[in-house]
Amino acid sequence: MSPFFYSNLFHLVHNFQYLYCRSHSRIIPKIVTRVRRVMQPELNLPPPPSTGPDRPSHPPARPTEMFQMHVPVDHTATSLVLYRPPELVASSVAPFPNGDGICRSAAPMCDSSGSATNLVVAGPSLSIMEPLESIVPSLGSTTATALEDDANSFSTGAMLSRSYDGDSYSTPTRENTLPFCGTTYEPACNDELQPKVGMEFDSWENGESFYTRYAHEVGFSVRTGTQHLGKGGVALWKRFVCAKQGWRKTKELNNEAVKKRKRNVKISRCGCEAMIGLKRRNDGKYVVARLVLQHTHQLVSPNKRQFLRSNREVNSELRSKLFTCHKALLGTSATYRMLTVERGPGQIGCLKRDLQNYYRDFKEIIKDSDAQTIIGAMKSKQSINPSFFFDYKLDEENKLTHIFWADGTSRKNYALFGQVVSFDSTYRTNQYDMVFAPFTGVNHHDSSVTFGAAFLANETFESYEWLFSTFLAAMGGVAPKLIITDEDASMKEAVPAVFPSTRHRFCMWHILNKLPEKVGRVLMQDEDFLKRFGICVWASETPNEFEEKWNSIISDYGLGNNGWLASKFGIRQRWIPAYFRDVPLGGILRTTSRSESENAFFGHFLNRRLSLLEFWIRYETAMDEQRQKELENDNISLHTQPVLSTNWGMESHGRDVYTHSIFKLFQTEVLAARDKCDLQKMEQVGELKKTCLSGSGRPREVIYNTRTKIAQCSCKMFESVGIPCSHIIIVLKWEKCLEIPSHYVLDRWTKTATQKVVYDGNGNVLQGSCTSLPSSMKLLYSDTCSKFNMGMIAAKQCEEKMKYFKKAIFEVVDHVLNMGTTKEHNKVEEFESFVGSTFPTDISIHPPDIAHTKGNGHRFRKASEIAATGKNKKRAQSSKKDKQD
């Protein structure tokens, strides 16, 4: 037979599918005419039998030479039995599978009276459900295939049916017809998975599980059908149907009355009647009372079973992995990619969309109870660890406006390192645009450490006053010696109101960053001006020295009428270093760079789409990372030693007591003492010895008390930083000191600074990060995960090892599950377990309104930025023009 015959037939079927979807039954005669015209020349078929009462109902052919197909057309159906001549039967490679020559994948169509309507066309036996190449006698069997083989397999999912009388055609009508998407057929499977009428199950759940297993094996999805409940909600009758059962409602297909964004939802139902019905007996067991195995659609191939809806589940393991990854800043898509790499494509058990929908449900549940849930989570942590502190404030409508929190570790860090505090607010960290305000300090490794954090609905004086008062209460009423902020007007008033004895310092960077705009481009290009201004601001050691240099600059450059410089000189006690040299540790923070660094650190964990609860979860992850880094530095300092640069005893002693970061600063001063300090004059009056030194910039004067072994230097480095300067070190060296006097070794810079036990006002030990799991349980969990992963890696490359490992794991897990009754958690309970708090049924604390703060709007660009943008545009246009030329 010519290959063109099959090619024409292939395109014919595609045309049939297309026309069927867009026309009515009147197009069927055209299609059958084309079938006949294609087939008759190729096979030299005789004309159809003449009409009359003696015409047989079937052509004179053996049953082995017939194949029957069906198709619905708008509540009408016809049938076509294609006749295979004997000469083609002999050339077939494979017989029909049932032995009697009849493929039973299709049943005769019956009218309402039950009689079959079968009108025939002579021709070769053909199954449109099978791939085209299987039709060719020399290439494959004529057996009908209901399961798709691969993406290139051709199947229309329909059977042609037609009755004709010469060139005149008619379509018998029928009320109930088979769906367009296929012929009825019964899939084959292993006997142990084959459902049968009369099978018994202890519960309907077991029956559902069995039928679902069978469905996934043969390639279709299952959903719950109708059910009948008795007293107490006991299911007396329950049906589970093929997912393609029924038809989509018309109003769901086209509902123009409801103005909603149209979703491109594909049609998945085609009226398949496959189902299983379970009936409850008097003994409480369920029996299969009704069973339909025939399907009317194409089944999926094994490599596509992963897409069956009933075969997709976000199980407890995936849910736990999803929440864990969200804590680790991996979104849902990144989590799915990780699982794909870890397990392989198609082996996850669900689709990315399923994970996204699950996390969407989580956000939907917490949407209205966001504020009350985060309050509940903090209360839960406080009940576990009393050292956890938090407080909040509501408005008249019971909406959350302010909230502050600090766990035991943060409060302990403040007790150890809270002499100086940097405070700065940041924006765009949550979906309510509330201001995020962390309190930051410097720990014994010269690293940033968080003392507490807050959310504020606005930046008014009242808000900052409440926040600073709450912070003071959390820290036992101990105010910092120095706090540094920007020049916010509300902060200017709130700091002295709450911390009257605290020195309030303004960030130098924020002030000097405005200098180019305020003095003009000409002066900013004057190197002499920049040098003199820098020395005046940064290097002046006394207030008198600063004022003299400032006035000189103003006079020399004619800046007397510059209002901005005049205003900054008026608040010089708030930002010039010369005014903070006597403040203990006042030199540690001169800008809010620590806060800026801390905000950037939190920026890696936060974004503007987070709810308060999600923010809280990620904040804890950030704190864990910060504290893990501190533990790492502790370990390095305690168990390693830096290299010495001299043979001085004080350097060796400094290496023993200081952390590595602080010792590096101390070692720099030791080398400066050895190489740059020259003795100019020494005199003693009583117990005081006065030494004058040179060689390191301006001359220095050190007064040493021979009795107390305490020295004071005019540079005041120890007072402002807490580390002895090179001038004191050389004087102590001349006094035969082999170790650093204890007066100069501040606890805050030592290796054991955090080992000190600190209590709050209620006698609670300030420690711990408020986890719901005890440390012993966390250790067991970590060891188990580690051991399991080691086993997986060891067995991954060997099938025999993997089978043994799988068997052992399954046995252990089954044993653990049977050790006690395990309550199955619903979705809400799982969310509550992840959060660590129950979701409220009655909401009394409502989420905040969207805040309108200065950091959430569009930032006004400076003149220099506008000018730079204009230059860049001109350069881009010039470059584009050059390329065109």
Side-chain angles (χ1 to χ4, degrees):
M1 189 177 297
S2 169
F4 293 103
F5 167 74
Y6 303 106
S7 176
N8 290 334
L9 189 59
F10 181 90
H11 293 292
L12 166 66
V13 176
H14 271 291
N15 291 338
F16 173 76
Q17 281 186 302
Y18 178 79
L19 292 173
Y20 174 79
C21 296
R22 299 181 180 271
S23 304
H24 296 82
S25 59
R26 61 177 178 270
I27 59 94
I28 298 298
K30 300 179 183 179
I31 295 178
V32 177
T33 300
R34 186 172 178 183
V35 172
R36 185 181 175 204
R37 289 175 180 174
V38 171
M39 296 168 63
Q40 203 166 13
E42 293 287 345
L43 302 179
N44 194 20
L45 299 176
S50 60
T51 58
D54 298 331
R55 189 185 72 172
S57 59
H58 295 284
R62 293 170 299 195
T64 58
E65 301 155 16
M66 292 190 297
F67 186 70
Q68 187 172 357
M69 296 170 287
H70 303 279
V71 65
V73 182
D74 290 347
H75 303 290
T76 65
T78 57
S79 64
L80 172 64
V81 179
L82 298 179
Y83 169 64
R84 178 187 292 274
E87 60 272 14
L88 292 183
V89 174
S91 64
S92 298
V93 176
F96 284 90
N98 298 308
D100 58 356
I102 297 179
C103 178
R104 303 194 183 278
S105 63
M109 296 297 298
C110 298
D111 56 20
S112 59
S113 63
S115 60
T117 304
N118 289 323
L119 299 177
V120 301
V121 173
S125 177
L126 172 64
S127 167
I128 301 183
M129 289 298 293
E130 61 185 339
L132 180 63
E133 58 268 18
S134 65
I135 303 174
V136 184
S138 61
L139 296 179
S141 169
T142 58
T143 303
T145 301
L147 182 69
E148 58 168 328
D149 293 327
D150 52 54
N152 298 320
S153 297
F154 165 65
S155 85
T156 64
M159 295 303 209
L160 293 177
S161 302
R162 179 47 39 196
S163 168
Y164 71 91
D165 182 8
D167 291 334
S168 175
Y169 299 86
S170 63
T171 303
T173 61
R174 185 171 182 268
E175 294 181 359
N176 298 321
T177 63
L178 294 175
F180 170 71
C181 51
T183 177
T184 59
Y185 55 87
E186 178 180 328
C189 70
N190 298 331
D191 291 339
E192 61 269 14
L193 292 177
Q194 182 74 36
K196 301 178 181 64
V197 175
M199 294 183 71
E200 296 181 359
F201 300 99
D202 293 335
S203 64
W204 66 262
E205 290 89 352
N206 293 345
E208 178 190 18
S209 177
F210 177 84
Y211 188 65
T212 303
R213 217 164 40 242
Y214 156 76
H216 299 165
E217 179 67 23
V218 299
F220 69 95
S221 186
V222 177
R223 60 183 172 85
T224 303
T226 58
Q227 65 177 357
H228 177 64
L229 301 179
K231 294 182 179 180
V234 178
L236 302 180
W237 177 270
K238 205 168 183 72
R239 294 177 67 234
F240 300 99
V241 301
C242 174
K244 290 182 176 288
Q245 182 266 349
W247 303 89
R248 187 191 292 186
K249 296 180 181 179
T250 304
K251 64 179 182 179
E252 295 180 4
L253 280 172
N254 186 16
N255 189 359
E256 297 181 354
V258 180
K259 294 183 179 180
K260 293 183 178 180
R261 184 174 62 90
K262 293 184 178 180
R263 297 176 58 194
N264 185 20
V265 180
K266 309 297 187 299
I267 299 176
S268 60
R269 299 192 183 185
C270 63
C272 180
E273 298 180 357
M275 56 81 67
I276 187 173
L278 302 177
K279 183 178 180 181
R280 190 176 189 269
R281 297 190 315 199
N282 294 332
D283 59 359
K285 292 188 177 181
Y286 289 81
V287 62
V288 178
R290 187 179 177 188
L291 181 66
V292 179
L293 297 176
Q294 292 78 19
H295 292 264
T296 61
H297 55 88
Q298 193 175 18
L299 302 182
V300 302
S301 58
N303 67 334
K304 298 182 181 66
R305 290 174 187 168
Q306 57 177 306
F307 303 115
L308 294 174
R309 175 164 296 188
S310 61
N311 198 26
R312 299 179 349 232
E313 179 189 8
V314 184
N315 56 31
S316 58
E317 180 195 2
L318 293 176
R319 295 191 291 266
S320 176
K321 180 77 73 173
L322 176 64
F323 287 134
T324 301
C325 289
H326 270 275
K327 286 183 179 180
L329 313 185
L330 291 178
T332 306
S333 298
T335 301
Y336 189 81
R337 285 195 299 270
M338 184 194 71
L339 290 170
T340 302
V341 173
E342 186 180 81
R343 304 184 182 185
Q347 304 301 319
I348 299 174
C350 68
L351 304 180
K352 180 171 69 173
R353 182 175 66 252
D354 299 326
L355 287 178
Q356 291 171 335
N357 291 342
Y358 184 82
Y359 199 76
R360 176 207 60 199
D361 294 342
F362 168 72
K363 299 197 71 169
E364 185 67 22
I365 287 176
I366 68 174
K367 180 176 65 175
D368 295 330
S369 61
D370 190 16
Q372 188 159 337
T373 303
I374 191 175
I375 297 299
M378 292 185 179
K379 287 181 179 179
S380 177
K381 287 190 173 295
Q382 191 176 58
S383 65
I384 297 171
N385 190 338
S387 64
F388 182 85
F389 180 93
F390 79 99
D391 196 5
Y392 61 95
K393 185 179 180 181
L394 307 178
D395 62 8
E396 298 80 6
E397 300 177 353
N398 284 337
K399 293 182 179 180
L400 184 67
T401 56
H402 310 322
I403 182 172
F404 169 84
W405 67 91
D407 64 9
T409 302
S410 295
R411 297 173 70 192
K412 178 181 178 179
N413 285 333
Y414 179 81
L416 299 175
F417 313 116
Q419 296 90 342
V420 291
V421 173
S422 177
F423 178 79
D424 188 27
S425 56
T426 187
Y427 311 91
R428 302 173 186 269
T429 61
N430 58 92
Q431 66 185 27
Y432 306 102
D433 286 338
M434 296 185 78
V435 179
F436 175 55
F439 292 84
T440 308
V442 181
N443 68 3
H444 56 313
H445 296 289
D446 197 28
S447 300
S448 298
V449 62
T450 304
F451 297 144
F455 274 133
L456 299 177
N458 51 60
E459 296 177 281
T460 62
F461 166 77
E462 291 76 15
S463 297
Y464 284 123
E465 183 183 32
W466 176 90
L467 175 58
F468 294 150
S469 299
T470 306
F471 175 81
L472 189 63
M475 303 310 166
V478 179
K481 303 296 182 183
L482 180 144
I483 186 170
I484 184 169
T485 68
D486 58 22
E487 291 185 274
D488 183 86
S490 299
M491 291 186 192
K492 287 181 182 180
E493 298 179 15
V495 169
V498 180
F499 306 126
S501 60
T502 300
R503 290 290 300 273
H504 186 193
R505 184 171 187 174
F506 294 152
C507 173
M508 295 185 65
W509 182 86
H510 282 89
I511 294 176
L512 296 179
N513 192 43
K514 300 177 182 178
L515 182 66
E517 181 181 353
K518 301 301 180 179
V519 301
R521 184 183 304 177
V522 176
L523 281 181
M524 292 305 298
Q525 294 177 349
D526 189 329
E527 295 183 0
D528 181 66
F529 169 79
L530 294 178
K531 182 178 179 180
R532 291 180 60 183
F533 192 86
I535 293 174
C536 172
V537 171
W538 293 100
S540 298
E541 294 187 352
T542 63
N544 291 334
E545 180 183 354
F546 164 75
E547 293 172 6
E548 290 177 1
K549 292 180 178 179
W550 180 277
N551 293 329
S552 175
I553 293 173
I554 297 298
S555 175
D556 293 346
Y557 291 95
L559 297 173
N561 296 326
N562 191 303
W564 181 81
L565 289 175
S567 65
K568 298 310 157 190
F569 183 77
I571 59 171
R572 58 191 180 278
Q573 296 88 352
R574 296 283 190 94
W575 64 285
I576 296 299
Y579 293 89
F580 295 92
R581 293 172 64 82
D582 294 329
V583 179
L585 302 177
I588 295 178
L589 296 175
R590 294 190 291 183
T591 68
T592 57
S593 59
R594 294 284 182 176
S595 291
E596 301 290 345
S597 172
E598 192 79 344
N599 293 340
F601 167 73
F602 283 116
H604 296 298
F605 297 83
L606 310 174
N607 61 67
R608 199 172 186 175
R609 299 184 300 273
L610 297 178
S611 64
L612 296 180
L613 191 58
E614 290 178 294
F615 178 98
W616 161 252
I617 293 170
R618 293 198 175 198
Y619 174 85
E620 287 200 314
T621 302
M623 288 292 93
D624 290 340
E625 182 173 318
Q626 183 185 92
R627 289 160 188 174
Q628 182 64 25
K629 182 63 177 178
E630 180 180 318
L631 286 176
E632 182 181 347
N633 291 334
D634 283 341
N635 179 70
I636 294 174
S637 294
L638 289 171
H639 301 290
T640 62
Q641 290 186 333
V643 179
L644 297 176
S645 299
T646 69
N647 59 356
W648 292 10
M650 280 186 292
E651 184 188 13
S652 178
H653 183 223
R655 181 177 68 174
D656 294 337
V657 297
Y658 290 135
T659 61
H660 285 2
S661 300
I662 302 305
F663 173 74
K664 185 177 181 180
L665 301 177
F666 176 74
Q667 190 178 50
T668 301
E669 296 301 317
V670 170
L671 293 177
R674 185 193 64 180
D675 301 333
K676 299 181 179 179
C677 292
D678 299 327
L679 178 62
Q680 296 296 320
K681 184 176 64 172
M682 180 183 294
E683 60 182 17
Q684 184 171 356
V685 178
E687 295 178 347
L688 302 180
K689 183 182 291 186
K690 181 179 178 181
T691 304
C692 296
L693 303 170
S694 64
S696 56
R698 66 177 69 190
R700 297 298 179 187
E701 181 179 278
V702 179
I703 299 176
Y704 176 73
N705 190 312
T706 58
R707 182 178 58 84
T708 60
K709 296 185 178 180
I710 295 176
Q712 292 181 336
C713 181
S714 59
C715 71
K716 296 185 180 296
M717 177 180 176
F718 175 73
E719 288 78 5
S720 62
V721 179
I723 300 174
C725 61
S726 58
H727 318 110
I728 292 178
I729 291 174
I730 192 62
V731 170
L732 294 176
K733 170 69 173 173
W734 290 337
E735 294 296 327
K736 310 298 182 182
C737 291
L738 300 179
E739 293 184 352
I740 307 172
S742 59
H743 172 75
Y744 298 103
V745 181
L746 301 185
D747 288 339
R748 63 166 294 124
W749 299 133
T750 61
K751 298 179 180 180
T752 59
T754 56
Q755 296 180 7
K756 183 179 179 181
V757 179
V758 182
Y759 299 89
D760 64 3
N762 298 321
N764 300 312
V765 178
L766 298 179
Q767 62 182 3
S769 56
C770 303
T771 178
S772 58
L773 285 177
S775 57
S776 59
M777 191 65 180
K778 289 195 295 183
L779 182 61
L780 286 172
Y781 181 84
S782 176
D783 290 345
T784 304
C785 290
S786 177
K787 206 68 175 179
F788 175 81
N789 291 331
M790 289 174 61
M792 285 291 293
I793 294 172
K796 189 176 182 179
Q797 305 299 329
C798 178
E799 184 177 358
E800 181 180 358
K801 291 182 179 180
M802 185 57 72
K803 288 181 179 179
Y804 177 81
F805 187 71
K806 177 183 176 182
K807 179 181 178 182
I809 290 297
F810 276 41
E811 291 177 354
V812 170
V813 172
D814 291 340
H815 178 71
V816 171
L817 293 176
N818 294 328
M819 288 177 66
T821 56
T822 303
K823 181 183 177 182
E824 188 71 21
H825 294 288
N826 57 35
K827 184 178 291 186
V828 175
E829 291 174 337
E830 289 176 348
F831 292 157
E832 291 173 344
S833 176
F834 167 62
V835 172
S837 175
T838 58
F839 294 148
T841 54
D842 297 327
I843 300 176
S844 58
I845 302 176
H846 301 284
D849 293 326
I850 302 298
H852 300 284
T853 55
K854 62 183 181 182
N856 293 321
H858 294 287
R859 186 177 67 88
F860 292 102
R861 293 188 299 170
K862 303 177 184 178
S864 57
E865 293 177 318
I866 297 175
T869 303
K871 290 181 180 179
N872 292 336
K873 287 184 178 180
K874 291 180 180 180
R875 291 172 184 170
Q877 293 174 356
S878 177
S879 176
K880 184 177 180 180
K881 184 177 180 181
D882 293 341
K883 290 181 180 179
Q884 292 176 351
D885 295 340

